[in-house]
Amino acid sequence: MKLLQALCPLVFLLACSMSNASVLQDACKSFAAKNPDTGYAYCIKFFQADKGSASADKRGLAAIAVKLTGAAAKSTAKHIAALRASEKDKKRLAGLKDCSEVYTQAVDQTGVAAKGIASGTPRGRADAVTALSAVEDAPGTCEKGFQNLGVPSPLASEDAGFRKDASIALSVTAAL
C-alpha cells in the first residue's frame, strides 16, 4: 500500500509532463501545417533552446518563443553594429544602418509582446500578435533595403533564420 502511495505522485508528474510535451508537439504540428517550408523539426529545435518548453502550457510556450526571438533580435542587432563599425562601402553602410533601426524596433516589439502575453488578457494577446507581426517583418524589410541599394546583404542567412523564429513566436501567440 505504501508503495502505491509513493508511486501516485510520480505517475501524476509523469502524466503532466507528457501532457505538456504534447502541447509543444501540437503547437509545432499546427505551425508546420501553416509553414511547411520551415516545418515541424525546426519548430521543435527552436524550442529545445529553452528547457522549460518541454513542460510549458500554451501561454508558457508563447512567452518562451518571444523570449528566444527577442534574444535573436538582440544578437542580430549586435552583429549589425559590428559590421557597421568595419564597413567602408557607403551603400552597404546605409543598408546596415536601416537594418540596425529595424532590429532595434524588433527588440522593442518583443518586449511589448512579452508584456501582452504576461497579461493573460484578450487585449494583451492582441497587442502581442500585432507586435510580433511587426517583428516578423523585420528581416524582410532589412533584405529589401539591400535589394533597393543594389548590393548583396551580409545578413541574408541571419535574416532567414530570424524570420523563421519570429514566425514561430507569432504562430504560437496567435493560437492562445
Side-chain angles (χ1 to χ4, degrees):
M1 186 66 166
K2 288 190 179 215
L3 179 62
L4 185 60
Q5 288 175 334
L7 288 177
C8 281
L10 183 61
V11 170
F12 176 74
L13 289 173
L14 182 61
C16 287
S17 174
M18 289 172 61
S19 170
N20 285 335
S22 178
V23 170
L24 172 59
Q25 291 168 348
D26 289 348
C28 285
K29 284 177 186 174
S30 176
F31 170 78
K34 297 173 191 159
N35 300 276
D37 291 344
T38 303
Y40 177 81
Y42 186 91
C43 181
I44 293 292
K45 183 179 177 186
F46 170 79
F47 280 110
Q48 285 176 341
D50 189 299
K51 293 177 185 174
S53 63
S55 60
D57 61 6
K58 287 182 180 183
R59 196 164 109 197
L61 279 182
I64 289 167
V66 168
K67 179 179 81 171
L68 293 172
T69 302
K74 286 178 187 175
S75 176
T76 302
K78 285 181 182 179
H79 183 224
I80 293 168
L83 289 172
R84 286 179 70 189
S86 63
E87 185 58 59
K88 304 294 182 223
D89 182 276
K90 290 187 188 285
K91 282 186 178 182
R92 282 175 53 120
L93 196 55
L96 289 169
K97 180 182 179 288
D98 292 345
C99 289
S100 177
E101 292 172 9
V102 166
Y103 275 96
T104 297
Q105 291 172 359
V107 170
D108 293 344
Q109 290 301 306
T110 57
V112 170
K115 288 178 185 171
I117 292 165
S119 77
T121 65
R123 174 64 187 196
R125 178 198 163 277
D127 290 347
V129 167
T130 300
L132 290 170
S133 293
V135 170
E136 186 183 37
D137 289 342
T141 301
C142 181
E143 288 301 307
K144 187 71 172 169
F146 282 105
Q147 284 178 350
N148 290 342
L149 292 169
V151 294
S153 169
L155 300 167
S157 65
E158 267 182 286
D159 283 337
F162 185 80
R163 185 200 57 77
K164 291 177 184 180
D165 296 352
S167 294
I168 293 169
L170 177 58
S171 176
V172 171
T173 302
L176 291 177

